[in-house]
Amino acid sequence: MKGEGEAGRVTDKHQVRLRVNGTEHELLVEARRTLADMLRHDLGYTGTNVGCEHGICGACTVRLDGAPARSCLVFGVQADGAEVRTVEGLANGDELSDLQQAFRDHHALQCGFCTPGFLMLAEAFFAERGLVPPGAPAGQPRPGAGEGPTGGGIGGLAASNLCRCTGYGGIAAARRAPAGPPRATGQP
């Protein structure tokens, strides 16, 4: 749908339907609007932060159809029909997810600006390996729980996002924290 916007500018808007943290949304967005801006400004998911707007810092990381994605580099129209998971989808009400609790226990945040991106990237890393099944019922043993999050892969997570406050020590410790029985997450 093309039309005239402010001051006679031609705008190109598209109807987008997506599911964010299990909730269906349908909205009209400009073709040039990023997924990060659509999530924050149009849908109110303000946990997705925008830092560099070049995909380098990782503060805008979300899960797009299960894979980590820099939402500042994805146009909102590209997410049409997609499943998006943001940091708001990790907790179950007031109860933190295992990963959020590990970040809290290991003081893996200071100002908190980068934290959502680190959490979403780590959640995707663990989920891809079956170590933290999203939405697993409490008390269910974790697949691969004996393996533990070790090796070069987990170390690469720290290199993927930027933090200007914590020095990465707490973030690394939180990602390697031994896992107890999983708690349910906000995702059904």
Short mmCIF file of all heavy atoms in Angstrom, two decimals, residues 24 30 35 126 144:
data_model
loop_
_atom_site.label_atom_id
_atom_site.label_comp_id
_atom_site.label_asym_id
_atom_site.label_seq_id
_atom_site.Cartn_x
_atom_site.Cartn_y
_atom_site.Cartn_z
N GLU A 24 -0.20 -13.14 19.13
CA GLU A 24 -0.34 -12.73 17.73
C GLU A 24 -0.48 -11.22 17.64
O GLU A 24 -1.19 -10.60 18.43
CB GLU A 24 -1.60 -13.37 17.12
CG GLU A 24 -1.49 -14.85 16.90
CD GLU A 24 -0.67 -15.23 15.67
OE1 GLU A 24 -0.51 -14.39 14.76
OE2 GLU A 24 -0.18 -16.36 15.65
N GLU A 30 5.88 0.67 7.87
CA GLU A 30 6.64 1.14 6.72
C GLU A 30 7.68 0.10 6.35
O GLU A 30 8.25 -0.56 7.22
CB GLU A 30 7.36 2.45 7.04
CG GLU A 30 6.44 3.65 7.12
CD GLU A 30 7.23 4.93 7.28
OE1 GLU A 30 8.05 5.25 6.39
OE2 GLU A 30 7.02 5.60 8.30
N LEU A 35 12.87 -4.32 12.53
CA LEU A 35 12.17 -5.17 13.49
C LEU A 35 12.36 -4.62 14.90
O LEU A 35 11.42 -4.62 15.70
CB LEU A 35 12.68 -6.61 13.40
CG LEU A 35 12.09 -7.61 14.38
CD1 LEU A 35 10.58 -7.71 14.27
CD2 LEU A 35 12.74 -8.98 14.18
N PHE A 126 21.86 -22.49 24.08
CA PHE A 126 21.50 -23.66 24.88
C PHE A 126 20.36 -24.45 24.24
O PHE A 126 20.37 -25.67 24.23
CB PHE A 126 21.13 -23.25 26.30
CG PHE A 126 22.30 -22.75 27.10
CD1 PHE A 126 22.24 -21.53 27.74
CD2 PHE A 126 23.46 -23.49 27.22
CE1 PHE A 126 23.33 -21.06 28.47
CE2 PHE A 126 24.55 -23.05 27.94
CZ PHE A 126 24.48 -21.82 28.57
N GLY A 144 20.90 -33.64 27.75
CA GLY A 144 22.31 -33.26 27.68
C GLY A 144 22.81 -32.56 28.91
O GLY A 144 23.86 -31.93 28.88
#
